[in-house]
Amino acid sequence: MLLMASLESGEYQMERVEFDVSSLMHDLSESMHGHIHDGVELKIMVHESIYVCLDPNSLRRVLKALILNANKFTPAGTITVDYKVEDDMLNVSVADTCIGIAVEDRKRIFGKFEKLDHFSQGLGLGLPICKSIVEKLGGRIGVESEPGCGSTFRFSVTTIS
């Protein structure tokens, strides 16, 4: 809740620096495997070095939240993270083989305290925090999903200061 408050008040600090997003993805892959439950395979694609100018901590925070959210709703299967840079934009996708999200619920999930499953852990702030951070990075986030067929969260952020 403190993070959401700092985002809303404008006190959330970001520092854009140049870094290799491929290295960040490799490190993320190493650190996240212990957080993924049995029966789920985490695949974080690591491409050749791609340097971007972003806040690496904010990017890592969004990625971790999306991966952990996917893990929460994927009892078995895969979570795949991929990315590319095009026209000064970093485009990222986090796809899973989870339970999926109904059309009418896709509009609500980025709202504060919205939970589609009231029995799941969390306060319903993970996706709104991701949305706020992505927007502060000059980007946008969305989801494509079909019940029973999984979900793909996509976000794009500008890579220039």
Side-chain angles (χ1 to χ4, degrees), residues 7 12-16 55 58 132-137:
L7 284 161
Y12 181 81
Q13 297 296 313
M14 288 194 202
E15 182 180 355
R16 285 185 179 263
D55 178 7
S58 293
S132 291
I133 291 172
V134 165
E135 288 173 350
K136 280 197 164 297
L137 288 169

Side-chain angles (χ1 to χ4, degrees), residues 3-4 9 14 22 26 33-34 47 64 68 81 89 104-105 107-108 117 122 144 147:
L3 177 56
M4 192 70 195
S9 70
M14 288 194 202
S22 300
H26 177 268
H33 279 286
H47 304 291
K64 285 175 86 171
L68 291 173
V81 180
M89 295 295 284
E104 61 273 12
D105 293 329
K107 296 173 185 163
R108 297 183 324 140
D117 175 359
E144 300 162 8

Side-chain angles (χ1 to χ4, degrees), residues 137-155:
L137 288 169
R140 64 189 186 286
I141 188 169
V143 63
E144 300 162 8
S145 185
E146 189 173 319
C149 296
S151 300
T152 301
F153 285 82
R154 297 181 195 283
F155 68 91

Side-chain angles (χ1 to χ4, degrees), residues 37-41 70-79 96-99:
H37 59 75
D38 291 340
V40 176
E41 179 185 8
N71 185 57
K72 189 184 327 182
F73 296 103
T74 305
T78 59
I79 299 167
D96 60 49
T97 57
C98 76
I99 57 176

Side-chain angles (χ1 to χ4, degrees), residues 32-150:
M32 290 302 295
H33 279 286
H35 298 281
I36 304 302
H37 59 75
D38 291 340
V40 176
E41 179 185 8
L42 176 62
K43 297 179 185 177
I44 298 181
M45 311 313 282
V46 178
H47 304 291
E48 62 188 49
S49 291
I50 303 171
Y51 285 85
V52 296
C53 186
L54 283 169
D55 178 7
N57 294 325
S58 293
L59 178 60
R60 190 177 298 108
R61 184 172 295 208
V62 170
L63 287 165
K64 285 175 86 171
L66 292 175
I67 291 167
L68 291 173
N69 194 62
N71 185 57
K72 189 184 327 182
F73 296 103
T74 305
T78 59
I79 299 167
T80 304
V81 180
D82 204 357
Y83 60 96
K84 63 184 171 185
V85 175
E86 294 179 312
D87 300 327
D88 295 327
M89 295 295 284
L90 172 64
N91 302 303
V92 180
S93 65
V94 178
D96 60 49
T97 57
C98 76
I99 57 176
I101 305 166
V103 173
E104 61 273 12
D105 293 329
R106 285 185 229 150
K107 296 173 185 163
R108 297 183 324 140
I109 61 173
F110 291 102
K112 287 190 298 186
F113 304 109
E114 288 289 339
K115 292 175 65 170
L116 301 183
D117 175 359
H118 294 287
F119 299 105
S120 65
Q121 292 180 331
L123 297 173
L125 289 174
L127 293 175
I129 286 171
C130 289
K131 183 176 190 266
S132 291
I133 291 172
V134 165
E135 288 173 350
K136 280 197 164 297
L137 288 169
R140 64 189 186 286
I141 188 169
V143 63
E144 300 162 8
S145 185
E146 189 173 319
C149 296

